[in-house]
Amino acid sequence: MITELVAVGTEILLGNIVNTNSAYLAEKCAQLGLSLYYQTVVGDNEQRMKDTIKTALDRSDVVILTGGLGPTKDDLTKEITAEVMGLPLVEDAHSRELLDAYLKQYEKNDAQRRITSNNYKQAMVPQGALVLDNHNGTAPGLIIEKNGKTAILLPGPPNELKPMFEEEVFPYLRKKQPEIIYSQMVKICSIGESQVAEEIQDLIEQQSNPTIAPYAKTGEVHLRVTAKAESEKECKKLIKPVVRELKSRFGKNIFATEEKKTLEEAVVDMLKDQKLTLSLAESCTGGAIASRIVNVPGASEVFLQGMVTYSNRAKRKSLGVKKSTLKMHGAVSEKCAKEMAKGGCFVTKTDICLSVTGIAGPDGGTKEKPVGTVFMGCCYNGKTVVREYHFTGNRAKIREQSTAHALAFLRECIMEGVSKKD
């Protein structure tokens, strides 16, 4: 069943409001197994709205419209959809009753408020429409069916749209769509997108159901394995052997098979499992690695201290980097990264310290050490490993890549140290 999303509102079109509704609805459509081919944003213009809705209904079986159901003159979604579908507007007595109760309570809470007549336009609905009660606002939702086409109108505020969709629309669409789609994510780090693509080329060429879709993220590659079946249980059964094969191919590079699990969560979980403590010595990343670590609930159990030693003086005073190292090799060097990591462990008395020092640009690069040169050190179990990286892009991109690769490097060091300890 082909489905289309239309978000209505000039404020969305101009970027004043982020269109989170469409992201939410797209995910729900995928869960229902609906084929979503188009998403559109249209401003509060009568003719453009008319053209957009007509086009959507012509090419899709179900059109879900969000926003434009309120009391003001520019709230036109219901009126224009009814016109396009050739349906008159009539007052819905039940909606009028709910609206009256809501508005009287609203007026009662503040003596300065008064009920205006334009509110009652929200009780007017296309003839024959299924009316969806709004328990969190005034504008009811609507499901309109005609000539094999369905238009679903939902209020714009997310705290009204989401419960209405969950309670009313999801069950309605579930009955119309016998199959569902279920996905499982396999998240990979420490190897690049091109390498991952090459490793799974044969699987992609042979795939039918389930399918594998790769998504690149800074320092990570996500593989979404998706199956279509009559039930979630059947989908999981189809997905299981594919995930098993991916685990066989990528092994320790897989850090998560859960949609919401992040790389920093995987690192914190490993530290907790091994009862290890962590410190960070950052230079060019300026605390960005620490920021991602502390985003994880419970990180305080393992993360003891983060130091942003941006200047040479700070590297010497806080981490014990030798003056001769900075003079002979420079702050951006293998030797400096090594001394930062070792010094961090010594100063903080932690089990592991990760250090990062580099040239984020746009200035500071040389022929020998161009912008994007980054050294990372990891001290664990008395041994320090250093890696050299070369990133490209602007200052923000280089710092972002450094942060992502630092987390992956840290994860590798923990695994390597644990295996040797065992």
Side-chain angles (χ1 to χ4, degrees):
M1 188 161 56
I2 299 173
T3 306
E4 184 161 345
L5 304 180
V6 178
V8 178
T10 302
E11 68 279 9
I12 299 174
L13 194 64
L14 297 179
N16 302 126
I17 292 178
V18 178
N19 185 15
T20 58
N21 285 340
S22 289
Y24 165 80
L25 291 170
E27 185 178 2
K28 292 299 177 183
C29 286
Q31 289 176 12
L32 286 160
L34 302 171
S35 300
L36 187 64
Y37 295 154
Y38 299 97
Q39 291 188 29
T40 307
V41 178
V42 61
D44 302 305
N45 177 276
E46 188 171 348
Q47 188 57 52
R48 287 192 286 273
M49 286 176 66
K50 193 179 295 184
D51 293 341
T52 299
I53 294 168
K54 186 178 184 306
T55 299
L57 286 167
D58 284 344
R59 67 190 177 191
S60 302
D61 303 306
V62 176
V63 178
I64 303 176
L65 299 108
T66 60
L69 299 182
T72 63
K73 285 185 71 175
D74 63 349
D75 288 316
L76 299 167
T77 304
K78 175 178 56 186
E79 289 78 4
I80 293 175
T81 304
E83 182 184 342
V84 170
M85 298 185 79
L87 297 169
L89 293 175
V90 295
E91 185 174 270
D92 179 61
H94 177 65
S95 295
R96 172 74 184 229
E97 185 180 329
L98 290 178
L99 192 59
D100 266 328
Y102 188 97
L103 292 173
K104 283 176 183 175
Q105 185 63 39
Y106 177 86
E107 190 179 50
K108 184 180 177 182
N109 290 337
D110 191 334
Q112 295 184 346
R113 292 171 175 170
R114 62 184 180 85
I115 299 173
T116 54
S117 59
N118 61 348
N119 278 286
Y120 291 104
K121 90 188 259 286
Q122 295 170 104
M124 300 296 290
V125 305
Q127 193 172 55
L130 174 62
V131 181
L132 311 177
D133 291 346
N134 187 345
H135 303 295
N136 301 284
T138 55
L142 299 162
I143 297 177
I144 311 165
E145 295 180 331
K146 187 177 179 183
N147 298 331
K149 301 288 186 175
T150 303
I152 300 174
L153 282 60
L154 299 171
N159 63 346
E160 298 177 31
L161 177 145
K162 289 181 180 181
M164 186 181 289
F165 187 90
E166 297 282 354
E167 294 163 17
E168 303 282 355
V169 180
F170 193 95
Y172 167 84
L173 291 172
R174 182 72 186 89
K175 289 176 183 176
K176 294 174 75 73
Q177 178 69 6
E179 288 188 314
I180 68 164
I181 287 179
Y182 180 84
S183 297
Q184 183 173 346
M185 192 73 84
V186 175
K187 298 185 177 182
I188 299 166
C189 66
S190 300
I191 53 176
E193 182 187 11
S194 58
Q195 184 179 340
V196 171
E198 187 177 80
E199 291 285 338
I200 61 170
Q201 186 61 38
D202 61 316
L203 298 177
I204 290 177
E205 287 174 355
Q206 298 165 17
Q207 69 186 8
S208 55
N209 184 28
T211 59
I212 304 172
Y215 301 89
K217 188 181 176 182
T218 303
E220 302 173 23
V221 181
H222 296 179
L223 301 176
R224 184 182 292 278
V225 185
T226 303
K228 181 181 283 190
E230 292 183 359
S231 67
E232 185 176 309
K233 184 178 179 181
E234 192 62 30
C235 286
K236 287 181 178 178
K237 189 177 177 181
L238 291 169
I239 287 171
K240 190 175 181 179
V242 178
V243 173
R244 190 188 304 123
E245 178 61 25
L246 293 174
K247 286 181 177 179
S248 172
R249 296 189 184 198
F250 296 108
K252 66 180 183 180
N253 294 116
I254 295 175
F255 68 86
T257 55
E258 301 163 33
E259 178 84 33
K260 294 183 179 179
K261 188 160 189 174
T262 62
L263 181 53
E264 51 267 34
E265 284 176 322
V267 168
V268 169
D269 285 347
M270 289 179 73
L271 291 167
K272 286 181 179 179
D273 289 343
Q274 298 300 319
K275 295 181 171 54
L276 300 171
T277 53
L278 170 71
S279 60
L280 297 169
E282 301 183 58
S283 185
C284 65
T285 46
I289 305 166
S291 178
R292 282 186 61 171
I293 290 288
V294 299
N295 276 339
V296 181
S300 58
E301 294 177 35
V302 293
F303 180 44
L304 302 192
Q305 189 171 337
M307 296 163 281
V308 179
T309 53
Y310 206 62
S311 68
N312 285 357
R313 187 172 187 274
K315 290 178 179 67
R316 293 200 327 268
K317 297 291 183 183
S318 300
L319 300 171
V321 175
K322 296 174 184 175
K323 194 172 184 179
S324 58
T325 295
L326 295 168
K327 186 175 181 179
M328 293 176 62
H329 302 278
V332 180
S333 64
E334 179 181 351
K335 193 163 177 59
C336 181
K338 185 174 185 178
E339 291 180 12
M340 286 172 69
K342 288 179 70 174
C345 267
F346 177 78
V347 169
T348 61
K349 303 295 186 274
T350 52
D351 299 305
I352 303 174
C353 180
L354 180 79
S355 67
V356 181
T357 179
I359 306 167
D363 304 317
T366 64
K367 187 176 179 180
E368 293 77 22
K369 296 177 186 177
V371 169
T373 301
V374 177
F375 289 89
M376 300 183 193
C378 186
C379 182
Y380 177 34
N381 281 341
K383 180 184 177 183
T384 306
V385 180
V386 179
R387 282 192 188 169
E388 180 177 350
Y389 296 84
H390 292 274
F391 301 120
T392 58
N394 59 22
R395 183 178 179 84
K397 189 65 180 175
I398 289 168
R399 294 181 68 240
E400 181 187 4
Q401 291 175 87
S402 299
T403 302
H405 282 79
L407 288 167
F409 178 39
L410 175 58
R411 178 177 173 273
E412 285 183 60
C413 290
I414 296 168
M415 287 192 295
E416 179 73 13
V418 168
S419 66
K420 285 189 175 180
K421 186 170 65 176
D422 292 344

